[in-house]
């Protein structure tokens, strides 16, 4: 079989693997997408067919190729100030509630992709939380994909990807830098300092104890089925401080998941 062909049996095997490893449910009809994304790995490894690739995966005891496979099969679309209503909510409600708190403040961006979400959160905190420099603030930013985390850790973005950042904030929190033949915008150290990027599979154990004041898990659970969503939402509950908030993507809804959270406004829930 040529590399351009992915049989339904092979699709089923990859579908099962990505579900077992990452909880991602590839609905039928995703064959074309899966094939196009896995074809990148075939090219990188110089393999001729998906059978050869499956054999390669089976023999790879290091787990490196599984990591690469997850990197190509995840959807990482994101941008700065995405679903800006959430950042308005953080400014107008959460930060008002937290402004007189003197305790450490903890935030988690779960499924942070290439960093735009946690960086936007940090900028919002710097803009609207009084005396931020005297506070103990940490943002944990996690993802399963090593590729996006590598990008996030550079803190460097192209002109197009900073388009949604108001120019005053761009000037204040980014510096321009030239890398090779590209002009890039680099997040300043004061912002980077409060964020820790780490690889974490939401399906696996979570080493952190919390409690968090805010968990953002936006546009991640859409890739999971109901059972996985339900389990995740219960685990978020356990890690939130009472009164803490869970933000999900605006196209996601916890309505059907049967959870204990209090609905605040679209895509905002409180413990
Ligand atoms: C579409 S992006 C969303 C990024 C950001 N939260 C936003 O809303 O702009 C979804 C991210 O979830 C990550 N993801 C998918 N399955 C995951 C899992 N099992 N554990 C951790 N991250 C996962 C993907 O790698 C991807 O970067």
């Amino acid at each position: 079989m040529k590399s351009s062909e992915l049989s339904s049996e092979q699709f089923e095997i990859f579908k099962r693997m990505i579900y077992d490893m990452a909880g991602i449910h590839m609905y039928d009809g995703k064959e074309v997408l899966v094939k196009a994304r896995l074809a990148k790995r075939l090219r990188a490894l110089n393999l001729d067919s998906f059978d050869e690739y499956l054999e390669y995966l089976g023999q790879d005891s290091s787990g490196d190729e599984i990591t690469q496979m997850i990197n190509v099969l995840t959807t990482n679309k994101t941008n700065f100030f995405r679903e800006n209503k959430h950042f308005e909510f953080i400014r107008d409600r959460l930060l008002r509630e937290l402004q007189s708190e003197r305790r450490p403040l903890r935030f988690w961006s779960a499924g942070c992709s290439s960093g735009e979400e946690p960086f936007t959160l940090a900028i919002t905190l710097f803009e609207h939380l009084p005396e931020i420099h005297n506070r103990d603030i940490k943002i944990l930013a996690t993802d399963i994909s090593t590729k996006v985390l590598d990008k996030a850790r550079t803190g460097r973005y192209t002109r197009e990807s900073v388009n949604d950042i108001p120019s005053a904030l761009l000037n204040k929190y980014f510096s321009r830098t030239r890398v090779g033949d590209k002009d890039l915008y680099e997040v300043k150290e004061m912002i980077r300092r409060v964020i820790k990027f780490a690889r974490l599979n939401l399906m696996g154990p979570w080493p952190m104890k919390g409690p968090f004041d805010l968990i953002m898990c936006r546009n991640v659970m859409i890739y999971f089925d109901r059972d996985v969503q339900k389990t995740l939402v219960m685990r978020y509950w356990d890690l939130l401080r009472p009164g803490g908030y869970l933000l999900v993507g605006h196209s996601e809804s916890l309505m059907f998941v049967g959870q204990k959270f209090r609905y605040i406004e679209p895509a905002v829930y409180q413990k």
Side-chain angles (χ1 to χ4, degrees):
M1 182 167 290
K2 291 208 303 285
S3 61
S4 55
E5 291 165 52
L6 176 73
S7 70
S8 51
E9 292 79 21
Q10 288 165 331
F11 174 67
E12 285 305 317
I13 296 171
F14 288 117
K15 186 174 151 180
R16 166 57 55 189
M17 284 170 89
I18 191 77
Y19 182 78
D20 289 346
M21 280 173 320
I24 296 171
H25 185 60
M26 293 285 180
Y27 295 91
D28 291 332
K30 293 270 182 190
E31 285 92 337
V32 176
L33 180 95
V34 167
K35 192 175 89 175
R37 289 179 173 185
L38 289 178
K40 292 185 197 163
R41 292 310 305 151
L42 263 62
R43 281 196 295 275
L45 296 165
N46 212 7
L47 299 176
D48 285 331
S49 70
F50 288 105
D51 275 341
E52 279 183 35
Y53 184 52
L54 281 169
E55 201 181 319
Y56 186 92
L57 276 167
Q59 286 167 1
D60 173 42
S61 53
S62 69
D64 289 350
E65 188 49 36
I66 296 283
T67 303
Q68 295 301 333
M69 185 178 103
I70 291 173
N71 286 351
V72 293
L73 285 181
T74 49
T75 299
N76 313 113
K77 184 192 157 0
T78 186
N79 47 265
F80 287 100
F81 290 93
R82 181 179 194 182
E83 301 184 14
N84 193 36
K85 277 235 158 304
H86 275 153
F87 298 101
E88 291 170 0
F89 170 84
I90 291 168
R91 178 192 68 197
D92 297 339
R93 179 151 169 180
L94 176 65
L95 296 187
R96 287 228 172 106
E97 291 172 7
L98 295 181
Q99 65 181 348
S100 51
E101 295 282 0
R102 289 291 132 196
R103 59 178 172 78
L105 303 179
R106 297 290 179 260
F107 306 86
W108 179 19
S109 164
C112 65
S113 189
S114 38
E116 287 86 337
E117 178 178 282
F119 283 132
T120 305
L121 173 62
I123 289 170
T124 306
L125 300 182
F126 271 75
E127 281 296 289
H128 302 290
L129 194 60
E131 295 180 52
I132 182 124
H133 297 285
N134 299 325
R135 288 167 185 264
D136 176 356
I137 281 172
K138 286 198 182 96
I139 299 172
L140 173 66
T142 63
D143 204 283
I144 195 172
S145 161
T146 56
K147 184 163 174 235
V148 290
L149 287 169
D150 286 346
K151 172 158 187 226
R153 288 191 184 101
T154 70
R156 289 175 176 165
Y157 297 92
T158 59
R159 171 72 243 180
E160 301 77 65
S161 44
V162 298
N163 268 347
D164 295 322
I165 306 177
S167 55
L169 299 182
L170 190 60
N171 292 334
K172 194 165 164 188
Y173 297 111
F174 291 76
S175 45
R176 284 179 77 156
T177 175
R178 190 147 182 98
V179 179
D181 59 349
K182 287 196 197 118
D183 265 331
L184 298 175
Y185 291 77
E186 187 173 275
V187 183
K188 286 190 180 165
E189 182 54 31
M190 63 175 163
I191 294 288
R192 297 165 72 141
R193 245 197 341 246
V194 300
I195 304 177
K196 183 183 167 206
F197 288 103
R199 184 170 193 229
L200 183 107
N201 181 354
L202 290 169
M203 299 305 120
W206 298 352
M208 61 279 194
K209 298 273 174 291
F212 290 98
D213 296 283
L214 172 77
I215 297 176
M216 305 178 84
C217 184
R218 307 185 314 155
N219 308 301
V220 178
M221 288 192 278
I222 31 165
Y223 302 104
F224 303 153
D225 64 19
R226 276 281 129 75
D227 289 342
V228 173
Q229 290 173 357
K230 219 183 263 182
T231 310
L232 260 186
V233 169
M234 288 189 299
R235 294 178 79 189
Y236 288 141
W237 173 274
D238 291 340
L239 275 199
L240 276 170
R241 182 180 292 287
Y245 295 96
L246 173 65
L247 309 188
V248 300
H250 280 85
S251 66
E252 299 161 311
S253 170
L254 300 186
M255 305 276 284
F256 309 103
V257 188
Q259 33 74 32
K260 303 186 266 183
F261 283 91
R262 192 155 74 92
Y263 172 85
I264 302 294
E265 59 176 63
V268 177
Y269 298 85
Q270 186 175 33
K271 177 170 176 178

